[in-house]
Amino acid sequence: MLASLPVACSSPVTPPATTTAQSSATSSSDPAIQPVVTVRGTVREGAETGCLVLDAGERRYLLLDGDPRELPIGAEVVVRGRPAPGGVTTCQEGVPFHVVAVTPTP
């Protein structure tokens, strides 16, 4: 049997905050938390207009945030940056890679 108890609160009870997947900033595809890596390869045109891809052996990286003047098509370069595996882009190819620095190779 349940007894009715008087409620004597002067302020409303606030439910605990909930976390959703959208508000999570620790996703493994978040480039801010990925380590900076160095990759060497050849710059290629992507399948979509305006997209640049780095062919690095068996892997392809979609170059994001890089200066196109430092990434001419056909150039062999060393690129430092943060990969964002699982990231969605309009280019739809390669592992998204946020470029931090570009060094041309001799």
Side-chain angles (χ1 to χ4, degrees):
M1 187 153 131
L2 294 174
S4 176
L5 296 174
V7 177
C9 288
S10 60
S11 63
V13 176
T14 304
T18 58
T19 304
T20 64
Q22 283 184 328
S23 67
S24 174
T26 58
S27 167
S28 64
S29 65
D30 184 352
I33 63 169
Q34 295 294 320
V36 173
V37 297
T38 301
V39 182
R40 180 184 182 135
T42 305
V43 179
R44 304 276 185 224
E45 260 185 292
E48 300 292 328
T49 303
C51 298
L52 293 176
V53 176
L54 185 73
D55 275 330
E58 293 182 17
R59 218 156 201 194
R60 293 182 70 150
Y61 294 93
L62 174 62
L63 301 173
L64 305 172
D65 308 323
D67 183 344
R69 294 172 295 183
E70 295 181 320
L71 298 164
I73 305 299
E76 180 83 15
V77 295
V78 174
V79 181
R80 292 187 68 235
R82 289 185 162 89
V88 178
T89 69
T90 57
C91 295
Q92 303 176 23
E93 64 181 309
V95 175
F97 190 88
H98 294 271
V99 176
V100 173
V102 177
T103 305
T105 59

